[in-house]
Amino acid sequence: MRLSLRVLASPSSFESTIYPAALTLLPPIPLYRRLLRGHRKYLPEDMRLLGDKYIKSEFRAHKNVENPIHIIGFLKEWQMYAQQIEGDSWLGGRIDKEKIDKMSDQQLGQLYELMQTIRANNTPDEVT
């Protein structure tokens, strides 16, 4: 039996326990725009500039990725981030230990650099 792209692209009956069932992936360009729009609308100026720079570099770095599993994971994580930004659920949030355990050394290094940049941009009275 031949499967068409329409059948392959249709939502499956599998419901993940990690991701919400209603999560329909946006294509990369609309997701990119949504992220930048969310930063512009919900973040303070200094955090917006840092976040925009990070989003742009990550999307550029993943522009030529061909592995569908990596692409889907990348888009899911960024879409969940967009939902968090739009819903203010990111304030005071922490990364799950399971996600940190699954990160590569390179990803942990990027996370550490991001943490250092955020701490350097905060003034002593803003740190909680």
Side-chain angles (χ1 to χ4, degrees), residues 29-53 55-56 81-82 85-86 88 90:
I29 293 175
L31 178 59
Y32 179 80
R33 290 178 182 153
R34 179 180 175 186
L35 289 164
L36 295 178
R37 205 174 307 117
H39 279 189
R40 191 170 49 246
K41 188 172 181 181
Y42 299 106
L43 295 181
E45 180 72 17
D46 57 339
M47 291 178 75
R48 182 183 68 82
L49 294 174
L50 179 64
D52 288 354
K53 182 179 173 185
I55 287 171
K56 290 174 184 178
Y81 170 75
I85 290 292
E86 293 165 353
D88 287 336
W90 60 277

Side-chain angles (χ1 to χ4, degrees), residues 11-75:
S12 68
S13 60
F14 174 75
E15 290 188 21
S16 173
T17 57
I18 298 173
Y19 302 109
L23 185 67
T24 302
L25 287 180
L26 288 173
I29 293 175
L31 178 59
Y32 179 80
R33 290 178 182 153
R34 179 180 175 186
L35 289 164
L36 295 178
R37 205 174 307 117
H39 279 189
R40 191 170 49 246
K41 188 172 181 181
Y42 299 106
L43 295 181
E45 180 72 17
D46 57 339
M47 291 178 75
R48 182 183 68 82
L49 294 174
L50 179 64
D52 288 354
K53 182 179 173 185
Y54 189 73
I55 287 171
K56 290 174 184 178
S57 70
E58 283 297 304
F59 272 77
R60 279 189 200 113
H62 289 81
K63 185 177 183 178
N64 296 321
V65 172
E66 294 181 9
N67 186 338
I69 294 172
H70 289 160
I71 294 169
I72 290 171
F74 179 80
L75 295 175

Side-chain angles (χ1 to χ4, degrees), residues 104-118:
S104 68
D105 291 339
Q106 180 184 8
Q107 290 170 323
L108 290 172
Q110 286 178 328
L111 187 61
Y112 182 75
E113 289 176 14
L114 181 62
M115 181 187 70
Q116 294 298 326
T117 304
I118 290 170

